[in-house]
Amino acid sequence: MGSIVWGREIAEVYDATYAAKFEPSVLEPMIDVLVELARGGPALEFAVGTGGVALPLSARGISVSGIELSPHMVEQLRAKPGADAIPVTVGDMTTTRVPGTFTLVYLVANTNMNVTTQDDQVAVFANAADHLEAGGCFVVSVIVPQLRRVPPGERGRVFTLDADHVGIETFDDLAKQIAWSHHWIEVEGRLVRHSAPYRYVWPSELDLMAKLTGFRLRGRWAGWDRAPFTSESASQVAVFEKVP
C-alpha cells in the first residue's frame, strides 16, 4: 500500500478536527522535550503536516525543516505566520533527503503508522539515521495497539465519540498488522468522511527497527510528560540515539 497521502479535503479540516492536540497544555510538554533533545541544533520533522509542532518549536529558537508527502498539508502550513522560517520538502519520508545534518529528527502523532509495510517503516528509521549526526536522536510518538480492547468475535472499536467527530478502527489483517481508521467529521456544517489503512507496531518491533538502522534505545515514556511506560500504557514516546 505504501505511504498514505492526505488529500485536500482532509488537509482543510485537519487543524479544526485535531485542535485538542494542539492546546498549550498538550503541546508545551512535547515542545519542551524536543527543545532539550535538539540541544540547540537543527531539527527535522518527518510528516510535518500543517506545522502544528514545527511552528511552536521554531518559535522556541530551534531551526526546523520538514518533509511532508501531502502538498495539500504543506499548503495549509504555508498560510500560517512563521512558516517562512521552516523549509519544507514535499516527498516520502522513507527516501526523501534534505540538505544538512541534524541533531534531532522527530515523527509524531502516530504518523509512522501511515507507512503501511514493515520494510518501509524500517526505511523511515534508515532515512532518519542518514540525516542525523552521531549521537543525534530520532523521536517517535505512537499508540500502542489496543487489540485487547476489541471484544471476542468483533473486529473493531470506537476510539473517538464526540459531537463533531466519530472515529472507528478496525483490525483487518492481523498477519500484516494492518488496521483501518474510519472518521466521520463535522466541520462548519459539512460532514467529511475519511478512511485510511495504517500498520500498527509494537514497542519491541520499533526497537528492532532501530537496532537494524544504527540506533539504540535511549528512553521510552508513556507520554510527553515522561510518565513511566508500562504494559498498560496506550501510547509511547520512544527516543532512539544514533550510535557513534
Side-chain angles (χ1 to χ4, degrees), residues 4 32 37 40 52 56 58 62 76 89 95 106 110-111 118 184 187 191 193 198 200 213 217 223:
I4 303 305
D32 288 342
L37 293 173
S58 175
I62 300 298
Q76 297 297 313
T89 301
T95 57
Y106 63 97
N110 303 314
T111 317
Q118 187 182 65
W184 291 262
V187 180
L191 183 64
R193 185 187 184 283
Y198 67 86
Y200 54 87
T213 52
L217 179 66

Side-chain angles (χ1 to χ4, degrees), residues 147-170:
L147 275 72
R148 290 186 299 174
R149 295 194 178 187
V150 179
E154 301 292 332
R155 56 176 284 206
R157 71 183 187 99
V158 176
F159 64 88
T160 296
L161 186 57
D162 297 324
D164 57 355
H165 184 191
V166 175
I168 298 174
E169 67 176 343
T170 57

Side-chain angles (χ1 to χ4, degrees), residues 8 11-12 49-50 70-80:
R8 182 179 299 279
E12 290 177 348
T50 63
S70 169
H72 306 295
M73 296 288 272
V74 176
E75 183 180 338
Q76 297 297 313
L77 166 60
R78 285 282 163 246
K80 297 179 179 179

Side-chain angles (χ1 to χ4, degrees), residues 41-63:
L44 173 63
E45 181 173 356
F46 283 178
V48 68
T50 63
V53 178
L55 287 167
L57 184 59
S58 175
R60 289 279 295 271
I62 300 298
S63 175

